[in-house]
Amino acid sequence: MRLGIHLPHIGQKAGPGAIRRAAEQAEGLGFADVWVSEHIILPKDRMYPPSAVFWDPVLTLTWAAAYTSRVGLGTSVLVLPMRHPLPLAKELATLQNLSGGRLILGAGVGWNEDEFAALGVPFRERGRRMDEGIAMMQAVWRDDPVSFPAKTIAAVIEEMRILPKPVKPIPIWIGGTSEPALKRALRLDGWHGSRASPEQAAPIVARLRAARPDAAFAISLRYGWDGKDQRALCAHLAAYGAAGVGHVLVEPSERALDDWLSAVERIARACEQV
């Protein structure tokens, strides 16, 4: 099993020094990758997420990439329908090239209707925008010149150029457990679930593996750990492995940076036992 760790780019602990220390620590401890999440704008009194402080995910990973050389860089997840695919494709290709090909694009349709409204993006069209946006990014990453018949997203792309191309293909892992999300994941490079127990994950994993037995198809889960019971963490990781999950992203819950970094060290020790 490959293990990733979330970066502290959310809440009051976030900042350039915190992100750098955590990225360097993760690489030094041997984690496979480091991860970030996304919210752009949030209602003032909404209970979740608990903080409106979200450093931009692509820029955060670019900062982390500058201080590391091996560890992978992932998004858990970018809400693709909220963004226009062309500038995002440019940003991700640039990050892929600056990092030497270490990027994993975790992507989802999103759930916060108020956030979509603030950005002027139709919430009810997010599934269609997701599919067309992925296809558009894949086209501009692949073709030169590129033409793309956009239907849902406002874009006229006829014999145009967008460079540089990614130095290596950017794998796309789809988040979510809905039927459209699972079907979308099977068309792409992997599934990145969130906070499902091993028992909940097992039938999903079995279904995905039946359709995509190839080792190149990734099955990943995001798991939040409260830092209290290391034995429980080890047991969860072992159960995920037994269910067929090949990658787990662990997100500590500590709010203070030193506590966060200490939890990451304990996670690394727990992982050695799995």
Side-chain angles (χ1 to χ4, degrees):
M1 178 186 289
R2 296 170 56 245
L3 271 293
I5 199 76
H6 209 283
L7 288 175
H9 77 116
I10 302 169
Q12 296 306 311
K13 62 184 172 297
I19 294 163
R20 175 180 178 175
R21 286 178 64 188
E24 292 175 332
Q25 178 198 49
E27 182 158 273
L29 291 172
F31 284 96
D33 26 57
V34 295
W35 293 76
V36 292
S37 301
E38 170 168 67
H39 279 289
I40 295 174
I41 185 168
L42 293 167
K44 178 179 179 292
D45 297 321
R46 183 67 60 87
M47 293 297 294
Y48 183 87
S51 175
V53 179
F54 272 76
W55 289 53
D56 179 83
V58 178
L59 292 177
T60 295
L61 288 181
T62 304
W63 179 252
Y67 293 102
T68 57
S69 60
R70 177 201 58 80
V71 70
L73 310 161
T75 57
S76 177
V77 292
L78 283 190
V79 184
L80 294 193
M82 294 195 307
R83 296 167 173 260
H84 195 286
L86 293 183
L88 180 59
K90 171 75 80 172
E91 292 172 5
L92 295 177
T94 300
L95 173 54
Q96 179 75 324
N97 294 358
L98 289 174
S99 68
R102 291 187 273 153
L103 179 61
I104 301 166
L105 172 57
V109 296
W111 56 270
N112 192 322
E113 190 167 355
D114 292 330
E115 193 167 14
F116 276 76
L119 294 164
V121 178
F123 184 72
R124 302 301 173 190
E125 293 181 5
R126 66 194 191 283
R128 294 191 296 275
R129 292 179 64 89
M130 176 83 160
D131 291 330
E132 187 168 281
I134 289 172
M136 187 183 297
M137 290 196 299
Q138 290 176 321
V140 302
W141 286 336
R142 179 186 64 238
D143 300 337
D144 182 35
V146 60
S147 296
F148 186 87
K151 297 178 181 178
T152 301
I153 298 168
V156 179
I157 307 169
E158 297 177 358
E159 291 292 298
M160 302 191 78
R161 306 188 75 196
I162 181 167
L163 298 171
K165 303 299 184 188
V167 292
K168 60 185 294 188
I170 299 172
I172 301 176
W173 298 2
I174 297 298
T177 57
S178 68
E179 187 66 19
L182 296 178
K183 289 181 177 179
R184 192 173 287 124
L186 288 171
R187 296 194 298 268
L188 294 162
D189 306 301
W191 176 67
H192 181 59
S194 180
R195 295 180 172 87
S197 69
E199 295 75 19
Q200 292 168 329
I204 298 174
V205 173
R207 173 185 171 180
L208 294 172
R209 274 289 168 237
R212 290 289 303 273
D214 49 300
F217 182 81
I219 294 183
S220 169
L221 270 172
R222 175 172 171 169
Y223 171 62
W225 185 51
D226 62 10
K228 296 178 181 178
D229 190 338
Q230 195 162 316
R231 290 184 179 180
L233 172 63
C234 293
H236 260 82
L237 294 177
Y240 283 134
V245 176
H247 175 273
V248 175
L249 160 60
V250 184
E251 180 183 10
S253 62
E254 279 72 13
R255 295 188 177 185
L257 179 61
D258 287 343
D259 294 338
W260 177 286
L261 297 175
S262 176
V264 172
E265 291 182 356
R266 298 199 305 278
I267 292 166
R269 291 195 295 271
C271 294
E272 292 174 354
Q273 304 171 33
V274 178

